[in-house]
């Protein structure tokens, strides 16, 4: 199945395979690796030449090998290795960091995604299972596990995993996880060609979370993929009207990606010219 725009995920970075619309709904998606948007770990792109990066990496390697590197130095070395595309060494370092800092669960998740990038799917699953054993409702770990299972042709297993997570989250009154797991489950069903089931879940999520625009936005994206532009436009308008006095860049981004200018919120006028 060719990749399609996802119905979720914010803050994932600007990787080339992420459609603009994929950043519009929620922090859940089966489209791309969670860690890719985090791989700079808060840094900006390094402007130095590759040679300078390698010199910096060499100095930090010495500190790490002598056991004298601080967490910040290890993190910097990880940045450099990823920028140098040295995935093998980055994996070794990241595994050490994850073992040394078990409270930073994001390191373990990043390690899993790095293994996935290197086609070590069983190793990636092993890392994710460690996270799920500690916290079964960790949405990012559920997301990556479902993706790994889907990529290996185990779609039914992925759906069982997410269905269970969604049912458990829905039983807890006021749980914020119910919407996230529901969007993720609907996204999975859509990717498996179950558009009707996905649409039904989006509708239910809209009823269960009437003040949140994300189910409507996900449903609008599904309609757009089906070529039903007018319905998509109406759903986006409904999402906009939920919070008419609040700007929501997700809605603007999707409207811009589809060329739906009528839905884009007008910019506030600037001061009058003198």
């Amino acid at each position: 199945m060719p990749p399609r725009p996802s119905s979720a995920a914010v803050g994932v970075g600007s990787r080339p395979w992420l459609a603009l619309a994929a950043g519009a709904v929620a922090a859940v998606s089966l489209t791309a690796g969670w860690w890719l948007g985090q791989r700079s770990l808060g840094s900006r792109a390094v402007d130095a030449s590759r040679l300078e990066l390698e010199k910096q990496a060499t100095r930090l390697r010495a500190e790490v090998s002598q056991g004298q590197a601080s967490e910040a130095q290890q993190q910097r070395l990880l940045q450099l290795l990823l920028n140098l595309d040295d995935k093998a060494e980055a994996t070794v370092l990241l595994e050490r960091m994850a073992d040394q800092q078990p409270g930073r669960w994001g390191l373990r998740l990043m390690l899993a995604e790095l293994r996935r990038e290197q086609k070590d799917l069983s190793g990636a699953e092993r890392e994710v299972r460690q996270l799920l054993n500690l916290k079964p409702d960790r949405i990012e770990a559920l997301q990556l596990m479902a993706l790994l299972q889907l990529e290996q042709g185990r779609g039914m297993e992925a759906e069982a995993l997410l269905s269970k997570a969604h049912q458990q989250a829905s039983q807890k009154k006021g749980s914020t996880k119910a919407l996230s797991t529901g969007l993720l489950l609907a996204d999975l069903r859509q990717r498996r060609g179950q558009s009707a089931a996905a649409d039904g879940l989006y509708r239910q999520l809209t009823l269960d979370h009437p003040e949140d625009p994300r189910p409507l936005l996900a449903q609008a994206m599904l309609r757009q993929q089906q070529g039903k532009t007018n319905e998509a436009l109406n759903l986006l308008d409904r999402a906009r009207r939920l919070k008419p006095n609040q700007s929501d860049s997700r809605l603007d981004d999707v409207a811009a990606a589809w060329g739906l200018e009528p839905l884009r919120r007008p910019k506030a006028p600037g001061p009058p010219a003198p």
Side-chain angles (χ1 to χ4, degrees), residues 45-53 56 76:
V46 181
D47 296 327
S49 66
R50 183 178 180 86
L51 180 60
E52 177 58 29
L53 295 182
Q56 292 180 43
R76 176 57 180 161

Side-chain angles (χ1 to χ4, degrees), residues 221-238:
M221 295 172 72
L222 175 59
R223 292 290 186 277
Q224 179 70 1
Q225 292 160 25
Q226 294 170 334
K228 301 176 181 178
T229 303
N230 287 337
E231 292 184 29
L233 186 64
N234 290 334
L235 286 163
L236 280 177
D237 188 47
R238 283 178 58 191

